mmCIF file of all heavy atoms in Angstrom:
data_model
loop_
_atom_site.group_PDB
_atom_site.id
_atom_site.type_symbol
_atom_site.label_atom_id
_atom_site.label_comp_id
_atom_site.label_asym_id
_atom_site.label_seq_id
_atom_site.Cartn_x
_atom_site.Cartn_y
_atom_site.Cartn_z
ATOM 1 N N ARG X 1 -2.073 -11.566 11.622
ATOM 2 C CA ARG X 1 -2.235 -10.218 11.064
ATOM 3 C C ARG X 1 -1.203 -9.227 11.610
ATOM 4 O O ARG X 1 -0.635 -8.453 10.867
ATOM 5 C CB ARG X 1 -3.667 -9.743 11.346
ATOM 6 C CG ARG X 1 -4.015 -8.398 10.827
ATOM 7 C CD ARG X 1 -4.413 -8.453 9.389
ATOM 8 N NE ARG X 1 -4.811 -7.125 8.951
ATOM 9 C CZ ARG X 1 -5.549 -6.895 7.939
ATOM 10 N NH1 ARG X 1 -6.020 -7.887 7.243
ATOM 11 N NH2 ARG X 1 -5.849 -5.682 7.584
ATOM 12 N N ARG X 2 -0.911 -9.263 12.901
ATOM 13 C CA ARG X 2 0.012 -8.268 13.454
ATOM 14 C C ARG X 2 1.461 -8.511 13.062
ATOM 15 O O ARG X 2 2.293 -7.635 13.219
ATOM 16 C CB ARG X 2 -0.143 -8.165 14.962
ATOM 17 C CG ARG X 2 0.266 -9.376 15.718
ATOM 18 C CD ARG X 2 -0.076 -9.195 17.172
ATOM 19 N NE ARG X 2 0.551 -10.240 17.938
ATOM 20 C CZ ARG X 2 1.006 -10.099 19.141
ATOM 21 N NH1 ARG X 2 0.892 -8.936 19.730
ATOM 22 N NH2 ARG X 2 1.556 -11.087 19.764
ATOM 23 N N PHE X 3 1.785 -9.701 12.531
ATOM 24 C CA PHE X 3 3.131 -9.997 12.060
ATOM 25 C C PHE X 3 3.232 -9.947 10.541
ATOM 26 O O PHE X 3 4.279 -10.248 9.980
ATOM 27 C CB PHE X 3 3.587 -11.380 12.546
ATOM 28 C CG PHE X 3 3.717 -11.470 14.032
ATOM 29 C CD1 PHE X 3 2.858 -12.278 14.758
ATOM 30 C CD2 PHE X 3 4.670 -10.738 14.709
ATOM 31 C CE1 PHE X 3 2.969 -12.370 16.138
ATOM 32 C CE2 PHE X 3 4.785 -10.811 16.086
ATOM 33 C CZ PHE X 3 3.928 -11.626 16.804
ATOM 34 N N ALA X 4 2.153 -9.589 9.887
ATOM 35 C CA ALA X 4 2.105 -9.598 8.428
ATOM 36 C C ALA X 4 2.459 -8.234 7.844
ATOM 37 O O ALA X 4 2.115 -7.204 8.409
ATOM 38 C CB ALA X 4 0.707 -9.991 7.959
ATOM 39 N N PRO X 5 3.142 -8.247 6.710
ATOM 40 C CA PRO X 5 3.345 -6.985 6.004
ATOM 41 C C PRO X 5 2.004 -6.521 5.436
ATOM 42 O O PRO X 5 1.072 -7.311 5.307
ATOM 43 C CB PRO X 5 4.312 -7.354 4.881
ATOM 44 C CG PRO X 5 4.084 -8.810 4.664
ATOM 45 C CD PRO X 5 3.703 -9.381 5.995
ATOM 46 N N LEU X 6 1.928 -5.265 5.130
ATOM 47 C CA LEU X 6 0.712 -4.701 4.540
ATOM 48 C C LEU X 6 1.059 -4.124 3.184
ATOM 49 O O LEU X 6 2.023 -3.360 3.066
ATOM 50 C CB LEU X 6 0.153 -3.591 5.435
ATOM 51 C CG LEU X 6 -0.992 -2.770 4.833
ATOM 52 C CD1 LEU X 6 -2.272 -3.589 4.816
ATOM 53 C CD2 LEU X 6 -1.192 -1.490 5.608
ATOM 54 N N VAL X 7 0.312 -4.516 2.177
ATOM 55 C CA VAL X 7 0.451 -3.937 0.844
ATOM 56 C C VAL X 7 -0.916 -3.368 0.493
ATOM 57 O O VAL X 7 -1.896 -4.096 0.405
ATOM 58 C CB VAL X 7 0.884 -4.989 -0.200
ATOM 59 C CG1 VAL X 7 1.019 -4.348 -1.567
ATOM 60 C CG2 VAL X 7 2.186 -5.652 0.225
ATOM 61 N N ASP X 8 -0.969 -2.074 0.341
ATOM 62 C CA ASP X 8 -2.225 -1.370 0.097
ATOM 63 C C ASP X 8 -2.095 -0.616 -1.217
ATOM 64 O O ASP X 8 -1.088 0.062 -1.438
ATOM 65 C CB ASP X 8 -2.468 -0.396 1.258
ATOM 66 C CG ASP X 8 -3.781 0.337 1.145
ATOM 67 O OD1 ASP X 8 -4.783 -0.306 0.811
ATOM 68 O OD2 ASP X 8 -3.790 1.557 1.388
ATOM 69 N N GLY X 9 -3.078 -0.739 -2.089
ATOM 70 C CA GLY X 9 -2.986 -0.044 -3.368
ATOM 71 C C GLY X 9 -4.336 0.375 -3.893
ATOM 72 O O GLY X 9 -5.374 -0.123 -3.467
ATOM 73 N N ARG X 10 -4.272 1.332 -4.819
ATOM 74 C CA ARG X 10 -5.490 1.751 -5.510
ATOM 75 C C ARG X 10 -5.110 2.372 -6.838
ATOM 76 O O ARG X 10 -4.000 2.870 -7.008
ATOM 77 C CB ARG X 10 -6.302 2.710 -4.667
ATOM 78 C CG ARG X 10 -5.716 4.078 -4.529
ATOM 79 C CD ARG X 10 -6.657 5.016 -3.761
ATOM 80 N NE ARG X 10 -6.167 6.355 -3.814
ATOM 81 C CZ ARG X 10 -5.321 6.890 -2.961
ATOM 82 N NH1 ARG X 10 -4.869 6.182 -1.965
ATOM 83 N NH2 ARG X 10 -4.924 8.134 -3.096
ATOM 84 N N VAL X 11 -6.039 2.305 -7.766
ATOM 85 C CA VAL X 11 -5.897 2.992 -9.047
ATOM 86 C C VAL X 11 -7.143 3.834 -9.258
ATOM 87 O O VAL X 11 -8.259 3.384 -9.004
ATOM 88 C CB VAL X 11 -5.669 2.012 -10.222
ATOM 89 C CG1 VAL X 11 -4.343 1.298 -10.089
ATOM 90 C CG2 VAL X 11 -6.776 0.997 -10.337
ATOM 91 N N ASP X 12 -6.929 5.078 -9.654
ATOM 92 C CA ASP X 12 -8.014 6.008 -9.959
ATOM 93 C C ASP X 12 -7.975 6.276 -11.456
ATOM 94 O O ASP X 12 -7.045 6.926 -11.942
ATOM 95 C CB ASP X 12 -7.828 7.325 -9.187
ATOM 96 C CG ASP X 12 -7.973 7.137 -7.697
ATOM 97 O OD1 ASP X 12 -9.085 6.803 -7.270
ATOM 98 O OD2 ASP X 12 -6.968 7.316 -6.972
ATOM 99 N N ALA X 13 -8.964 5.758 -12.169
ATOM 100 C CA ALA X 13 -8.964 5.824 -13.623
ATOM 101 C C ALA X 13 -9.597 7.106 -14.137
ATOM 102 O O ALA X 13 -10.496 7.676 -13.520
ATOM 103 C CB ALA X 13 -9.710 4.624 -14.192
ATOM 104 N N SER X 14 -9.092 7.528 -15.293
ATOM 105 C CA SER X 14 -9.755 8.568 -16.077
ATOM 106 C C SER X 14 -9.674 8.120 -17.530
ATOM 107 O O SER X 14 -9.308 6.983 -17.797
ATOM 108 C CB SER X 14 -9.101 9.938 -15.844
ATOM 109 O OG SER X 14 -7.824 9.975 -16.417
ATOM 110 N N ASP X 15 -9.979 8.988 -18.469
ATOM 111 C CA ASP X 15 -10.104 8.570 -19.869
ATOM 112 C C ASP X 15 -8.878 7.847 -20.431
ATOM 113 O O ASP X 15 -9.000 6.798 -21.018
ATOM 114 C CB ASP X 15 -10.435 9.769 -20.759
ATOM 115 C CG ASP X 15 -11.830 10.288 -20.494
ATOM 116 O OD1 ASP X 15 -12.652 9.536 -19.939
ATOM 117 O OD2 ASP X 15 -12.096 11.456 -20.828
ATOM 118 N N GLY X 16 -7.682 8.403 -20.231
ATOM 119 C CA GLY X 16 -6.518 7.852 -20.907
ATOM 120 C C GLY X 16 -5.645 6.937 -20.086
ATOM 121 O O GLY X 16 -4.687 6.371 -20.590
ATOM 122 N N GLY X 17 -5.905 6.776 -18.802
ATOM 123 C CA GLY X 17 -5.048 5.947 -17.965
ATOM 124 C C GLY X 17 -5.511 5.963 -16.535
ATOM 125 O O GLY X 17 -6.701 6.123 -16.266
ATOM 126 N N TRP X 18 -4.562 5.835 -15.611
ATOM 127 C CA TRP X 18 -4.933 5.809 -14.208
ATOM 128 C C TRP X 18 -3.785 6.310 -13.337
ATOM 129 O O TRP X 18 -2.623 6.172 -13.659
ATOM 130 C CB TRP X 18 -5.365 4.414 -13.767
ATOM 131 C CG TRP X 18 -4.372 3.331 -14.060
ATOM 132 C CD1 TRP X 18 -3.329 2.930 -13.264
ATOM 133 C CD2 TRP X 18 -4.303 2.516 -15.225
ATOM 134 N NE1 TRP X 18 -2.629 1.915 -13.853
ATOM 135 C CE2 TRP X 18 -3.210 1.640 -15.075
ATOM 136 C CE3 TRP X 18 -5.066 2.426 -16.394
ATOM 137 C CZ2 TRP X 18 -2.848 0.699 -16.034
ATOM 138 C CZ3 TRP X 18 -4.708 1.499 -17.347
ATOM 139 C CH2 TRP X 18 -3.620 0.636 -17.164
ATOM 140 N N ARG X 19 -4.177 6.894 -12.220
ATOM 141 C CA ARG X 19 -3.229 7.297 -11.185
ATOM 142 C C ARG X 19 -3.175 6.137 -10.201
ATOM 143 O O ARG X 19 -4.196 5.680 -9.724
ATOM 144 C CB ARG X 19 -3.700 8.572 -10.486
ATOM 145 C CG ARG X 19 -2.804 8.958 -9.309
ATOM 146 C CD ARG X 19 -2.895 10.422 -8.971
ATOM 147 N NE ARG X 19 -2.412 11.308 -10.017
ATOM 148 C CZ ARG X 19 -1.122 11.482 -10.345
ATOM 149 N NH1 ARG X 19 -0.194 10.828 -9.711
ATOM 150 N NH2 ARG X 19 -0.778 12.311 -11.310
ATOM 151 N N LEU X 20 -1.965 5.648 -9.948
ATOM 152 C CA LEU X 20 -1.841 4.544 -9.016
ATOM 153 C C LEU X 20 -1.143 5.007 -7.749
ATOM 154 O O LEU X 20 -0.364 5.957 -7.761
ATOM 155 C CB LEU X 20 -1.117 3.357 -9.641
ATOM 156 C CG LEU X 20 0.372 3.445 -9.899
ATOM 157 C CD1 LEU X 20 1.159 3.010 -8.684
ATOM 158 C CD2 LEU X 20 0.722 2.542 -11.058
ATOM 159 N N SER X 21 -1.458 4.335 -6.672
ATOM 160 C CA SER X 21 -0.856 4.616 -5.374
ATOM 161 C C SER X 21 -0.681 3.290 -4.658
ATOM 162 O O SER X 21 -1.637 2.531 -4.516
ATOM 163 C CB SER X 21 -1.772 5.542 -4.563
ATOM 164 O OG SER X 21 -1.248 5.740 -3.279
ATOM 165 N N VAL X 22 0.562 3.008 -4.233
ATOM 166 C CA VAL X 22 0.873 1.761 -3.542
ATOM 167 C C VAL X 22 1.683 2.095 -2.291
ATOM 168 O O VAL X 22 2.571 2.946 -2.324
ATOM 169 C CB VAL X 22 1.682 0.793 -4.439
ATOM 170 C CG1 VAL X 22 2.100 -0.452 -3.673
ATOM 171 C CG2 VAL X 22 0.889 0.420 -5.677
ATOM 172 N N ARG X 23 1.359 1.411 -1.198
ATOM 173 C CA ARG X 23 2.058 1.600 0.078
ATOM 174 C C ARG X 23 2.396 0.225 0.633
ATOM 175 O O ARG X 23 1.552 -0.673 0.652
ATOM 176 C CB ARG X 23 1.150 2.357 1.040
ATOM 177 C CG ARG X 23 1.722 2.616 2.405
ATOM 178 C CD ARG X 23 0.772 3.508 3.215
ATOM 179 N NE ARG X 23 -0.604 3.075 3.149
ATOM 180 C CZ ARG X 23 -1.215 2.381 4.107
ATOM 181 N NH1 ARG X 23 -0.583 2.049 5.195
ATOM 182 N NH2 ARG X 23 -2.477 2.020 3.966
ATOM 183 N N VAL X 24 3.652 0.065 1.082
ATOM 184 C CA VAL X 24 4.097 -1.197 1.674
ATOM 185 C C VAL X 24 4.567 -0.901 3.098
ATOM 186 O O VAL X 24 5.404 -0.015 3.306
ATOM 187 C CB VAL X 24 5.249 -1.829 0.858
ATOM 188 C CG1 VAL X 24 5.716 -3.133 1.507
ATOM 189 C CG2 VAL X 24 4.823 -2.070 -0.584
ATOM 190 N N GLU X 25 4.021 -1.649 4.059
ATOM 191 C CA GLU X 25 4.397 -1.499 5.464
ATOM 192 C C GLU X 25 4.911 -2.824 6.002
ATOM 193 O O GLU X 25 4.472 -3.884 5.563
ATOM 194 C CB GLU X 25 3.194 -1.077 6.311
ATOM 195 C CG GLU X 25 2.700 0.302 6.022
ATOM 196 C CD GLU X 25 1.563 0.727 6.948
ATOM 197 O OE1 GLU X 25 1.220 -0.031 7.889
ATOM 198 O OE2 GLU X 25 1.019 1.810 6.724
ATOM 199 N N ALA X 26 5.827 -2.724 6.963
ATOM 200 C CA ALA X 26 6.350 -3.911 7.648
ATOM 201 C C ALA X 26 5.811 -3.918 9.075
ATOM 202 O O ALA X 26 5.637 -2.855 9.681
ATOM 203 C CB ALA X 26 7.874 -3.882 7.665
ATOM 204 N N PRO X 27 5.557 -5.119 9.621
ATOM 205 C CA PRO X 27 5.075 -5.176 11.001
ATOM 206 C C PRO X 27 6.092 -4.532 11.952
ATOM 207 O O PRO X 27 7.288 -4.700 11.789
ATOM 208 C CB PRO X 27 4.923 -6.673 11.275
ATOM 209 C CG PRO X 27 5.655 -7.371 10.182
ATOM 210 C CD PRO X 27 5.763 -6.428 9.036
ATOM 211 N N PHE X 28 5.585 -3.773 12.885
ATOM 212 C CA PHE X 28 6.359 -3.095 13.929
ATOM 213 C C PHE X 28 7.226 -1.943 13.422
ATOM 214 O O PHE X 28 7.611 -1.091 14.203
ATOM 215 C CB PHE X 28 7.219 -4.091 14.736
ATOM 216 C CG PHE X 28 6.449 -5.263 15.240
ATOM 217 C CD1 PHE X 28 6.638 -6.516 14.702
ATOM 218 C CD2 PHE X 28 5.498 -5.102 16.237
ATOM 219 C CE1 PHE X 28 5.907 -7.605 15.156
ATOM 220 C CE2 PHE X 28 4.757 -6.180 16.700
ATOM 221 C CZ PHE X 28 4.965 -7.438 16.162
ATOM 222 N N LEU X 29 7.568 -1.919 12.139
ATOM 223 C CA LEU X 29 8.418 -0.856 11.590
ATOM 224 C C LEU X 29 7.605 0.241 10.915
ATOM 225 O O LEU X 29 8.061 1.365 10.798
ATOM 226 C CB LEU X 29 9.409 -1.428 10.574
ATOM 227 C CG LEU X 29 10.470 -2.374 11.119
ATOM 228 C CD1 LEU X 29 11.318 -2.907 9.982
ATOM 229 C CD2 LEU X 29 11.324 -1.680 12.160
ATOM 230 N N GLY X 30 6.429 -0.123 10.424
ATOM 231 C CA GLY X 30 5.610 0.852 9.712
ATOM 232 C C GLY X 30 5.944 0.906 8.233
ATOM 233 O O GLY X 30 6.466 -0.050 7.658
ATOM 234 N N GLU X 31 5.675 2.042 7.636
ATOM 235 C CA GLU X 31 5.824 2.191 6.183
ATOM 236 C C GLU X 31 7.273 2.011 5.744
ATOM 237 O O GLU X 31 8.191 2.560 6.350
ATOM 238 C CB GLU X 31 5.325 3.574 5.768
ATOM 239 C CG GLU X 31 5.328 3.764 4.269
ATOM 240 C CD GLU X 31 4.684 5.068 3.858
ATOM 241 O OE1 GLU X 31 3.448 5.179 4.025
ATOM 242 O OE2 GLU X 31 5.413 5.961 3.402
ATOM 243 N N LEU X 32 7.445 1.217 4.671
ATOM 244 C CA LEU X 32 8.750 1.039 4.051
ATOM 245 C C LEU X 32 8.879 1.914 2.815
ATOM 246 O O LEU X 32 9.892 2.560 2.595
ATOM 247 C CB LEU X 32 8.974 -0.420 3.650
ATOM 248 C CG LEU X 32 9.008 -1.450 4.766
ATOM 249 C CD1 LEU X 32 9.185 -2.849 4.193
ATOM 250 C CD2 LEU X 32 10.100 -1.118 5.764
ATOM 251 N N VAL X 33 7.838 1.879 1.982
ATOM 252 C CA VAL X 33 7.881 2.633 0.726
ATOM 253 C C VAL X 33 6.459 2.950 0.289
ATOM 254 O O VAL X 33 5.519 2.223 0.609
ATOM 255 C CB VAL X 33 8.640 1.839 -0.378
ATOM 256 C CG1 VAL X 33 7.865 0.605 -0.800
ATOM 257 C CG2 VAL X 33 8.958 2.706 -1.580
#
């Protein structure tokens, strides 16, 4: 786990679509994008 990248995401839906949020982190470096 401590050497693994992290990909975290969510979608918040409403009537016509959804708001998405994605975060990618690298071990020891933190957030990439």
